[in-house]
Structures are given as structure tokens and as C-alpha cells.
Amino acid sequence: MVKKMFLGAILLVAAISGNAQKAYEGTSFFDNWYLGVNGGGVTPVSHAAFWKNMRGVAGLELGKQVTPVLGISFQGLTAVNTSMSRTAFDALSLSANGKINLNNLFAGYNGEPRLFEVEAIAGIGWGHDFVNSGYGDDHSYVMSRFGASLNFNLGEEKAWSINVKPAVVYRMDGNKPHMLNVNKAGFELLAGVTYHFSGSNGKHYMTIQRPYDADEVCALNCKINALRDEVAAKNAALDESNAKAAQLQRALADCENAPKQVETVVKNLNSMSLESVVTFRQGRTTIASDQIPNVERIATYMKNHPESKVSIKGYASPEGSAEVNERIAKQRAEAVKNMLINKYKINANRITAEGQGVGNMFSEPDWNRVSIATLSEKEVE
């Protein structure tokens, strides 16, 4: 009879545990275990004074919450000896208990334990009395327990609880074994503290699992795939932009490394002329130090040829508005003229300077940021 009851309880727990995993998170085998320390007293239910015959008991309880409603535990208690036997502890009981959380059963589970909960407890186990030699014989028996647990769940994480556990414990032996005989029963009152271990969901209790239907899962997968395609497209665009930036960087380096001076000598029957090109950086109208030799070449020629004159024409690259380019082109021509006058003391009457706007002498637009100085001297016949 006892074996059948115990086997039935195991099958019931397994079935409910399987269903719980569909509705709650943190329901694997290693989730929702707890360890409790209990202490209190036990006294005969009948034919004895309640307080006078009470003796102390203490023990441990290891349990698991299978579902928010159903739990199981294994409890061991030992009783303090109050008889003439010289043993300190004269009784031991080991029991397997089933628990039903009445709050969650009737009011539903809200996703975490309530501050105060009540559990109904029923259990069956083995008991043993220890008696010193000369005072009687040791005796083992089957015992059952029926009671409740009043639980106060503490803290934000609900990891700790304080428990008060009243119960009636029956010895199921004697002339009529396996019967609940009040004359062979004891009233047990325990108090203790319990620690609930953390589970796979990161909590010390089960959490409600959100149900997803097939259509919702399909929609989420489609959204994920669309986001992946969007990320791939953006990565491709980014790679293209990086390649273009690298190409522009190479072109800029080529421009910066291009020859910064152009010199052409033109001869005809009536005159000789010399051209010198002074280049400028983008947006600049001042002569860079590496361009001064081109200006000095003009000055040297004019000093060696007192009859020569120079015509300076300034140009701009196509960036910017036409008005700005006109101004910059003129300022570049004036910059060369002013250096010839101020630095090399060339007479201003021998110099003409004018801006020509955007230049088109070179195929590379950046190369057109120049001032071209043309020297001329009438050839002696």
C-alpha cells in the first residue's frame, strides 16, 4: 500500500513537472531547489500533558518546487531525549513530503512568490527509536505526516523565507498497522529558515513564460531576416564608400606629388619669351615657400635683361562660385607682382597683373590654381 502511494506520487510529480516546463521559465531539474533548517517540539496528541510531555526536535529539509503549486521535499528530524535513556537523541525520522501551495492553487501564480503563502503538506517515511541497553529494544516503524507550512518570503529576490510548520505525525505500527490512530500520534510544531537557490533563469523562483504562436514566430523570423538584409546592404554601401574614399585619397596624393613648376621657352622671329608658373594651394592666395624659386627666376631674368617686361595672369580651379574664383585669380596675380616689387625691387612699370578666373590650361582641375608669368623682350635685329 505504502509503495503504491509513493510510486503514484512520483508519477504525478513527473507529469506536472513536464507540463510546468511549457508554461514557466526556470523549471529544469537543477532549478528551484531549497535547503531549510528547522527546530521545534513534538508532544503526544492524547493521554499526555501538552507542554509537560513536549520534547525538542531539530533537523534539515531539502526540497524542490516542481511547479508554482506543487513541491516535494525530503526531511530528517531527530528528537531530544527526555526519558531515562542515556542517549542524547532517542528518535530519528526520515520522510518524503508532498506540498501544495494553496495561494497559487486558488489565486493563481503572478510570476513571483507572495510575501505570505500557505502550503498544505502530506508525507510518509520511516521512524526509529533508540533505547540504551537495559531499558528496552530499538524499534523502527512507518510514519506519516499531515500539516501545513506558513511561509514568509523575504527580500526583493525572495531568496529567503521564514517558516512555521504545524503538523500531526502518526506512527503506523502496532496491532493495526498503516492506520491513522490518534492514540499513536504526536503534534509537531516547527519553525525554521529556508534558502532558495538561484535557477537557470537567474531568479530564485519560476518566472512566467510568454507563449508564442506559430504566426508570431514566423513574423519575428521575417523581421530578423529583413534586418539582416538591411545590415548586409549597409555594409556593402560602406565598403563602396571606403573604396571611393581610398581612390580620392590616392588622387589627392598624386596631385600633391605632381611637379609644382612648369617652364616653357618660346622663340619667334621678333621676340623671345620665358614663362614661369607659380602654383597655389586650394583657396590660398599667398605664395608657398617651395614656389619662391619660380618667382626669383622671373626677378633674375628681369635684372639681367633691363628691357624685359612681365605679364602675370592668375587662375583658379573650378571649385566655388564664379565671383570667388575671379577674386582669388586676381589676388594670385597680385601676389606674384608684389613679391617682385617688394622683395626683388623690380620696377612696377615693367609688371602687369590681372586675374583670369577659372583656368583650363591643364586637364587636372587642381593644377589650374596658378599664376603664369610671361617674360618678354624684343629681340635685337
Side-chain angles (χ1 to χ4, degrees):
M1 179 67 175
V2 174
K3 291 182 179 179
K4 291 181 179 179
M5 290 173 60
F6 188 68
L7 180 60
I10 293 176
L11 294 176
L12 177 62
V13 168
I16 296 177
S17 177
N19 292 331
Q21 294 183 6
K22 301 177 182 178
Y24 302 101
E25 295 179 348
T27 55
S28 65
F29 177 78
F30 294 101
D31 291 337
N32 304 305
W33 287 89
Y34 58 87
L35 180 65
V37 178
N38 301 309
V42 60
T43 188
V45 172
S46 62
H47 308 298
F50 186 86
W51 296 109
K52 184 177 180 180
N53 290 277
M54 180 174 285
R55 56 180 177 165
V57 291
L60 299 174
E61 181 180 26
L62 176 65
K64 174 178 173 61
Q65 196 67 35
V66 182
T67 73
V69 174
L70 179 64
I72 58 173
S73 72
F74 301 92
Q75 180 174 273
L77 291 174
T78 183
V80 177
N81 186 12
T82 58
S83 68
M84 58 183 176
S85 172
R86 291 189 298 270
T87 58
F89 302 97
D90 63 350
L92 174 67
S93 65
L94 302 173
S95 63
N97 303 315
K99 299 182 177 183
I100 296 178
N101 189 306
L102 300 180
N103 297 70
N104 295 336
L105 177 64
F106 294 108
Y109 183 57
N110 299 322
E112 65 177 29
R114 296 172 172 86
L115 176 62
F116 174 72
E117 293 178 332
V118 178
E119 291 178 309
I121 300 176
I124 190 168
W126 168 84
H128 187 81
D129 291 336
F130 299 94
V131 181
N132 287 337
S133 176
Y135 293 97
D137 296 326
D138 289 358
H139 184 61
S140 297
Y141 51 87
V142 177
M143 46 84 66
S144 60
R145 175 182 287 104
F146 300 93
S149 180
L150 311 179
N151 304 323
F152 297 87
N153 301 304
L154 305 178
E156 183 178 351
E157 295 185 351
K158 302 295 191 295
W160 293 91
S161 61
I162 295 176
N163 320 107
V164 178
K165 303 176 182 179
V168 177
V169 181
Y170 294 93
R171 288 182 56 150
M172 303 172 67
D173 61 348
N175 296 329
K176 295 182 179 180
H178 315 305
M179 298 296 292
L180 304 181
N181 188 344
V182 70
N183 294 319
K184 303 183 66 176
F187 179 77
E188 183 180 83
L189 181 61
L190 301 177
V193 60
T194 300
Y195 178 74
H196 303 266
F197 296 98
S198 177
S200 58
N201 61 349
K203 302 289 185 179
H204 297 268
Y205 48 83
M206 300 177 193
T207 53
I208 296 176
Q209 183 179 31
R210 180 186 172 190
Y212 291 90
D213 57 29
D215 293 338
E216 188 175 5
V217 172
C218 181
L220 289 173
N221 286 332
C222 291
K223 187 174 181 179
I224 291 172
N225 292 330
L227 290 173
R228 286 175 176 169
D229 293 340
E230 183 178 349
V231 170
K234 289 184 177 180
N235 287 337
L238 181 61
D239 292 339
E240 183 178 355
S241 298
N242 290 336
K244 186 174 182 180
Q247 182 181 3
L248 292 174
Q249 190 70 30
R250 289 192 297 270
L252 178 61
D254 293 340
C255 290
E256 292 176 345
N257 297 327
K260 295 182 172 59
Q261 56 191 36
V262 177
E263 185 174 306
T264 305
V265 176
V266 180
K267 288 187 178 181
N268 57 39
L269 295 176
N270 299 316
S271 66
M272 294 193 321
S273 66
L274 174 68
E275 262 187 7
S276 184
V277 178
V278 179
T279 62
F280 293 82
R281 298 188 184 278
Q282 184 175 5
R284 300 290 181 85
T285 59
T286 56
I287 300 173
S289 59
D290 61 345
Q291 295 300 307
I292 293 178
N294 295 333
V295 180
E296 186 169 323
R297 182 178 295 111
I298 299 170
T300 302
Y301 184 91
M302 294 184 77
K303 288 179 179 179
N304 294 331
H305 301 81
E307 300 299 324
S308 65
K309 294 183 179 182
V310 64
S311 174
I312 305 170
K313 295 182 180 181
Y315 298 89
S317 57
E319 297 90 350
S321 65
E323 180 181 355
V324 172
N325 289 333
E326 290 285 348
R327 185 181 74 252
I328 291 177
K330 181 172 179 58
Q331 290 174 345
R332 286 171 177 167
E334 292 290 338
V336 177
K337 177 181 177 180
N338 292 335
M339 180 171 283
L340 288 172
I341 295 172
N342 298 326
K343 182 175 177 67
Y344 297 103
K345 310 303 179 183
I346 304 298
N347 194 314
N349 294 332
R350 301 172 63 190
I351 306 170
T352 59
E354 58 183 2
Q356 300 295 310
V358 176
N360 58 3
M361 296 78 66
F362 303 104
S363 60
E364 184 65 41
D366 292 342
W367 294 358
N368 290 297
R369 297 193 292 266
V370 296
S371 286
I372 299 178
T374 303
L375 288 150
S376 62
E377 181 184 13
K378 187 175 180 180
E379 190 176 56
V380 179
E381 297 180 357

